[in-house]
Amino acid sequence: GQQVMQIPQYQHVQEGEDFTTYCNSSTTLSNIQWYKQRPGGHPVFLIQLVKSGEVKKQKRLTFQFGEAKKNSSLHITATQTTDVGTYFCGTGRRALTFGSGTRLQVQP
Amino acid sequence: DGGITQSPKYLFRKEGQNVTLSCEQNLNHDAMYWYRQDPGQGLRLIYYSQIVNDFQKGDIAEGYSVSREKKESFPLTVTSAQKNPTAFYLCASNEGADTQYFGPGTRLTVL
């Protein structure tokens, strides 16, 4: 199956700083889905990207899918304490293969 | 109010015991999934079912079993053959290739 590597594993930022997590694959991906998991909670769907070079925005969050459909990124502008959690990328048409996640800590 | 429910929230098991984790959804989704999450790690697929009375093994199916007798229910049994069952278990469902909706999870601890 498709494998996705996610980096960094952990990032600690000051509130107001930007944050980016990356999801990379050696093979072309059919899609990328991004999820957020708050501490002690369950993953919640954020967005899906399917087109080469696609960029989508949700308020302070910007999601990109690479031209070759082998990588994706999630960028948060001006982080807030409510952004704390682990961000996962996943790929697949039915059952998903997930990256290992990036845990974001935001210092007030 | 539609959604996925999992029970129990916390479960303690003695070594050598089988335990069954419940997952119910009222979203009318055909597909349901079980994932395992270990601390600081991503989600790994245990089993999935695309339709009633049918299911497939995921990446780490050894030591687990499932059934899908009803569309809304997909229970997972952790058997004594699972050597390291302590983990957070997440159930999910979806329709087609759409977003997956996750339940609140069950934390299983082996004593």
Side-chain angles (χ1 to χ4, degrees):
Chain A
Q2 295 178 318
Q3 302 278 342
V4 286
M5 301 295 294
Q6 196 171 350
I7 55 171
Q9 189 173 2
Y10 172 78
Q11 189 150 11
H12 188 149
V13 301
Q14 294 288 326
E15 190 171 21
E17 291 182 338
D18 292 355
F19 160 78
T20 305
T21 174
Y22 301 89
C23 193
N24 301 306
S25 173
S26 58
T27 60
T28 302
L29 303 172
S30 55
N31 64 335
I32 276 284
Q33 295 186 7
W34 285 94
Y35 291 78
K36 176 183 179 181
Q37 185 177 22
R38 294 182 184 274
H42 59 277
V44 174
F45 175 79
L46 295 175
I47 211 156
Q48 174 168 252
L49 306 172
V50 296
K51 297 178 182 177
S52 168
E54 190 169 13
V55 178
K56 289 188 177 180
K57 293 189 176 184
Q58 289 179 351
K59 297 183 180 178
R60 294 178 294 105
L61 277 62
T62 301
F63 304 84
Q64 295 190 12
F65 202 7
E67 293 290 341
K69 298 181 72 173
K70 291 184 176 182
N71 54 70
S72 179
S73 65
L74 158 58
H75 179 82
I76 302 178
T77 303
T79 55
Q80 300 175 359
T81 54
T82 53
D83 296 325
V84 165
T86 300
Y87 293 84
F88 292 98
C89 61
T91 187
R93 302 307 292 172
R94 290 232 178 229
L96 295 177
T97 297
F98 285 92
S100 56
T102 296
R103 186 158 70 93
L104 172 64
Q105 193 68 257
V106 180
Q107 182 77 35
Chain B
D1 192 20
I4 301 180
T5 57
Q6 290 185 243
S7 62
K9 187 174 182 179
Y10 298 97
L11 185 58
F12 298 90
R13 191 195 91 172
K14 293 181 181 178
E15 284 195 29
Q17 282 184 335
N18 292 355
V19 290
T20 298
L21 282 58
S22 168
C23 178
E24 304 276 333
Q25 54 99 359
N26 61 4
L27 300 167
N28 201 34
H29 288 164
D30 283 320
M32 296 186 74
Y33 310 83
W34 274 106
Y35 295 92
R36 169 182 170 142
Q37 185 175 33
D38 292 284
Q41 296 190 32
L43 286 71
R44 292 183 290 168
L45 182 66
I46 305 172
Y47 267 99
Y48 65 102
S49 168
Q50 296 187 34
I51 198 167
V52 174
N53 292 322
D54 184 54
F55 47 83
Q56 286 80 41
K57 292 182 179 180
D59 300 321
I60 55 166
E62 186 175 351
Y64 300 97
S65 66
V66 293
S67 63
R68 187 86 186 277
E69 297 176 1
K70 298 185 296 182
K71 186 176 185 177
E72 56 271 21
S73 178
F74 190 40
L76 173 74
T77 296
V78 184
T79 75
S80 57
Q82 170 48 237
K83 299 304 178 189
N84 186 22
T86 295
F88 187 40
Y89 291 87
L90 287 157
C91 179
S93 72
N94 71 350
E95 194 65 33
D98 206 348
T99 172
Q100 294 205 356
Y101 294 87
F102 285 85
T106 293
R107 294 192 184 276
L108 173 63
T109 302
V110 173
L111 301 174

